[in-house]
Every structure is written in C-alpha cells, then in structure tokens.
Amino acid sequence: MHYVRKPKVLQFEISSNCNLNCTGCSRTDEQTYSMKGNPLIPKNEFLTLEKFKDIIEDPVCNELEIIEFCGTIDDPAMHPQFLDMLKFLRKKEIPADVHTNGSLRTPEFWKEVAKLTKDIPHSKVKFNIDGLSDTNHLYRRGSNWNKIMENAAAFIAAGGNAAWQYIVFDWNAHQIEEAKELAAEMNFRSFKYRHDRAQSVSAIEIDNGFVRPEWKPTWQRLIVKAEQKSAGNKIECFSRESAMYFIGFNGNVWPCCFLHNSSWIHLGTLDETKQRFEGNYGKNWNNVHYYTFSDILNSKFYTEDLYDSWQTEIHGTGCKDRLLRCSQTCTKNSISIGNHTVEKL
C-alpha cells in the first residue's frame, strides 16, 4: 500500500542555519553543548528557490493544502530567499505555516512577512517563545528578548496572524499564565504549550558544568530498546494521517522530520542505517537534486516498503523490516507528539 500518493502537507527545512543553540536541538553537541554545534551538520547549505518551486509545482502536488516551514535544525528566516518563497506561495494562494524563534531579522522584515501571509486562510507565524525575559534564553540560547518582542509586535501590527508556542520546562512552568496574558495583550491569536520531550538541560546547568553521560549505542542495543518500547504495538503514523512529506535542506524527502533528523544523531552514524536505505534503494534515492518529486514518491520505499514495514515487529536492515525511528515515535509507548494545549486568545 502506498504511503501517501497525493500530499496535502509539505514540511520544509530550507537551510542548515539557525541563529540559536537550543539544548534540545540535534544541531547542538549533546556532550559539550558547544556553540560550535554538531559536527555532522554542514553550515550555510540552502534549498534553492528554484528547487522549492519545482517541488510545489510537481504534478503530484496538485492537492496541496498548506506549506509548513518547520525544519528540525533551521529557522526559515535565515534563508536569504525566504520572502521570495512566501511571494511564490501567495501567488499560488497556498497557506504558509511559519515556525520561528523570532530573534532574528528586523521589524521591517516581519512586516513584510505579515503582508505576504495575511488574508490567506490558515497562514500564520508561530513564534516559539519558551518563557519570559528571564527564562526564554535558558533553552533558546543566544536569543534576544527585546528583539523577539519588537519583531512579533511589528508582525502583528501589520496584520499578521501570530501564534505563541511555549515549551514547558521546570524553570518556566510557573510563567505559563503570565506569558498567556502577555500574548493576549500583544494580540497573538492563540497560545499553545506542551511539555519538553527532549529532556533538555538549561543554560544554568551548562554553566555549572553539566555533561550528559557518554552513551555509545550499537545497532543491537537500539533494536532491543525499540522492541521493548513497541512491544508489538501497531504503528500509527501521524504523518500519513496528515498526508505529509518532509523535505530537508539537503533535498532528501522523508515521511517526517524524525527520519530526517536521524541523520544528525547516533542512529544516523551507524553502518546499519546506511545499509537500510542506500543498500536497498541506491545512493541519493530520495533526493530532489537527482530525481523528481514524483519519482521519489513513486519509489519502492513509498509505494510498498514503508507501509509493509509497519506490519512487522522485526527491526532490521531489510527493506520491509520495521524502522527503529517508527517504533520510537509512532507506537503506543512512543514519545508523545501531539501532547499540547492550544488556547485561542
């Protein structure tokens, strides 16, 4: 059975750059929390405007409902042609859902974003602000509170649909109500919060010399852990339910950000991971720089193997073995993806 023949949602990570160094992000070195970042992630790589247009204009995308700029390691405002992408979407009347930390660019830039997204139903900018002036920077290291407030205010004043997204940690849980009140005063249209899934440490802990215990995974160790977690549970793929695909800055097409993000964590460094994909489908099998978007969506992985892999409890490197990442994220005992509260303001 095909994973998704006609996507309704495309999630884009348009660059490898971000101005922050959040402790829960895979771009951060999880042992030292160095500002130098994860050495596996290249710098200054961008999905081109032309390739962005090619994907959206591919015949298989004639049922698109929304484009989400929500990469795992980037902030879309870092892309030098981000406004041009929004202009393209506005011309085609496709809604844009933009995720940002809000701590970069200028008020004038965000006024332009408002101009390009307003009046298109379901378009919005989600400002990810995890606390107030004394706590937001503890997770979003390198952020500037005053700049965030200026940018968000400018976007809202220009008619933009703004949402405040809040990750709850031990150090900011007491500020949820105060942040919600501030959001209402600033005319944010909604306030959404969820609890930390990444077990992130704070800047205070880092300053005190916190280092995660060294953990050297093996393929078999990960399989045992995944099988203990899934325990035969059915895969319930949230991406398939949304008819969604994720496109990374490098041009790779995945069902979700979790499979893409595996490239930058322990799982992606293991030889078995490379064998699972490249060994079965060839090099660059899912890359839009080598194949059209339609070709990729009609590859064996998407037309047969991905769905078939959910029907087995066996984790391995065969093309129809269950993916470790699927068990980690989309089984009954997996991490909670949708555990959040949204309140209209």
Side-chain angles (χ1 to χ4, degrees), residues 100-292:
T100 180
N101 63 66
S103 186
L104 69 168
R105 299 286 192 170
T106 64
E108 288 69 30
F109 175 90
W110 290 104
K111 288 177 184 178
E112 185 65 18
V113 174
K115 176 183 175 181
L116 294 171
T117 56
K118 69 179 182 179
D119 304 325
I120 299 181
H122 309 298
S123 283
K124 66 169 65 71
V125 170
K126 296 176 179 176
F127 289 87
N128 293 272
I129 311 170
D130 308 320
L132 298 172
S133 61
D134 60 334
T135 55
N136 181 61
H137 66 283
L138 295 180
Y139 174 70
R140 299 198 178 269
R141 293 193 298 159
S143 63
N144 183 307
W145 176 260
N146 291 334
K147 197 171 184 64
I148 295 170
M149 293 294 101
E150 290 174 358
N151 288 339
F155 174 78
I156 293 169
N161 178 1
W164 184 317
Q165 296 201 145
Y166 191 112
I167 302 177
V168 181
F169 303 97
D170 292 342
W171 57 86
N172 69 3
H174 65 290
Q175 295 177 320
I176 294 175
E177 290 303 316
E178 188 177 351
K180 192 191 307 177
E181 291 175 5
L182 176 59
E185 291 174 7
M186 295 180 66
N187 291 320
F188 278 84
R189 298 190 193 177
S190 65
F191 183 90
K192 171 182 174 180
Y193 63 93
R194 66 170 174 81
H195 290 270
D196 175 35
R197 295 192 299 257
Q199 299 180 328
S200 304
V201 300
S202 70
I204 294 174
E205 292 172 300
I206 294 171
D207 290 342
N208 290 334
F210 180 93
V211 177
R212 286 194 194 279
E214 186 174 2
W215 186 65
K216 294 182 178 179
T218 64
W219 184 254
Q220 190 59 42
R221 183 175 179 178
L222 285 172
I223 287 177
V224 169
K225 188 174 182 180
E227 290 180 345
Q228 289 174 339
K229 179 174 288 188
S230 63
N233 288 320
K234 179 182 178 182
I235 295 290
E236 296 180 356
C237 179
F238 77 99
S239 292
R240 188 169 192 259
E241 291 176 1
S242 302
M244 180 171 68
Y245 284 91
F246 181 95
I247 300 96
F249 70 87
N250 53 10
N252 286 341
V253 178
W254 295 104
C256 64
C257 65
F258 292 99
L259 277 170
H260 170 73
N261 208 29
S262 296
S263 302
W264 324 122
I265 60 177
H266 293 306
L267 179 61
T269 65
L270 300 175
D271 291 339
E272 289 87 348
T273 300
K274 184 176 181 180
Q275 181 182 342
R276 175 62 175 80
F277 293 108
E278 189 173 316
N280 287 312
Y281 308 110
K283 194 173 183 179
N284 300 313
W285 67 275
N286 64 335
N287 192 287
V288 295
H289 297 292
Y290 294 86
Y291 301 95
T292 67

Side-chain angles (χ1 to χ4, degrees), residues 53 56-57 84-92:
K53 291 180 178 180
I56 293 172
E57 291 182 328
D84 292 323
M85 292 179 177
L86 293 181
K87 290 176 183 176
F88 173 74
L89 294 180
R90 183 172 181 82
K91 184 177 181 180
K92 297 186 75 67

Side-chain angles (χ1 to χ4, degrees), residues 9-29:
V9 181
L10 292 183
Q11 292 187 332
F12 279 92
E13 176 181 80
I14 54 178
S15 86
S16 64
N17 290 356
C18 183
N19 60 321
L20 302 189
N21 193 43
C22 304
T23 56
C25 181
S26 58
R27 69 179 301 111
T28 303
D29 186 324

Side-chain angles (χ1 to χ4, degrees), residues 11-68:
Q11 292 187 332
F12 279 92
E13 176 181 80
I14 54 178
S15 86
S16 64
N17 290 356
C18 183
N19 60 321
L20 302 189
N21 193 43
C22 304
T23 56
C25 181
S26 58
R27 69 179 301 111
T28 303
D29 186 324
E30 66 178 19
Q31 289 299 319
T32 66
Y33 296 97
S34 168
M35 292 297 285
K36 293 181 180 179
N38 186 333
L40 296 176
I41 299 175
K43 296 180 180 179
N44 301 318
E45 289 199 5
F46 304 93
L47 187 71
T48 66
L49 175 62
E50 290 71 24
K51 189 57 64 177
F52 177 78
K53 291 180 178 180
D54 286 346
I55 294 169
I56 293 172
E57 291 182 328
D58 190 287
V60 79
C61 291
N62 59 6
E63 296 181 9
L64 278 181
E65 294 180 357
I66 195 166
I67 299 297
E68 298 183 359

